[in-house]
Amino acid sequence: MQAVAAEFNISQTCYLTRIPNSTSPNTRFPLRWFTPVTEVTLCGHATLASAHTLFTTGLVNSNIIEFDTLSGILTATKVPDVSPTNVSEVQNGGVTDSFLIELNFPTVPATDFNSAEASLVSKALNDAPFIDVKRTTPADDIFVIPQ
């Protein structure tokens, strides 16, 4: 999978397969994402595209899809669109099926930065003003809330 992602050389390549006899009441698919150099733990746009493809092609007969990922089980729910636009409309034998997709992603625990670390982040951002800085655990990612 990594070799193919490297050959495609795009920001994210997504791999979706079906679990034939899952014990889950919902349709479940393993989902993995790769950059040209590494596997990543989460990719929202590829998850949304996967759910859209599964819902619109009729490959699932459910309104809920579960994706088994490195980040845990992610769910995609097909919900009616009360104000349809052309983007979400799909023709089904002359009947328009307008829907939205709600994604449920895992919560990432975060801790506060101390003031010394925050000043380093500020310098790295060319002294751009921000409201807050958080560090995620266990991935140790940095989230900056701009002003």
Side-chain angles (χ1 to χ4, degrees):
M1 288 186 230
Q2 183 63 65
V4 172
E7 186 174 329
F8 285 164
N9 197 30
I10 57 176
S11 63
Q12 303 279 330
T13 300
C14 150
Y15 295 94
L16 177 69
T17 53
R18 187 178 194 115
I19 298 176
N21 297 318
S22 171
T23 58
S24 172
N26 300 310
T27 306
R28 184 173 283 185
F29 293 84
L31 183 60
R32 297 173 70 181
W33 312 277
F34 291 82
T35 69
V37 296
T38 191
E39 184 170 12
V40 295
T41 57
L42 187 63
C43 179
H45 68 279
T47 304
L48 180 60
S50 297
H52 185 267
T53 298
L54 292 170
F55 286 136
T56 59
T57 59
L59 291 172
V60 296
N61 295 324
S62 167
N63 287 335
I64 299 175
I65 302 169
E66 294 178 344
F67 295 110
D68 189 357
T69 75
L70 290 178
S71 294
I73 301 298
L74 310 179
T75 59
T77 305
K78 182 179 177 181
V79 295
D81 185 359
V82 294
S83 58
T85 64
N86 290 335
V87 175
S88 64
E89 291 179 0
V90 178
Q91 284 293 105
N92 287 335
V95 177
T96 300
D97 181 20
S98 182
F99 65 92
L100 300 173
I101 299 171
E102 292 180 353
L103 298 177
N104 185 355
F105 290 112
T107 302
V108 178
T111 60
D112 290 328
F113 258 49
N114 67 38
S115 58
E117 289 175 315
S119 66
L120 292 174
V121 170
S122 178
K123 275 187 178 179
L125 297 173
N126 294 324
D127 296 319
F130 58 85
I131 296 170
D132 200 6
V133 180
K134 300 282 186 186
R135 181 183 304 252
T136 66
T137 56
D140 203 32
D141 293 325
I142 297 173
F143 286 97
V144 178
I145 301 168
Q147 193 169 19

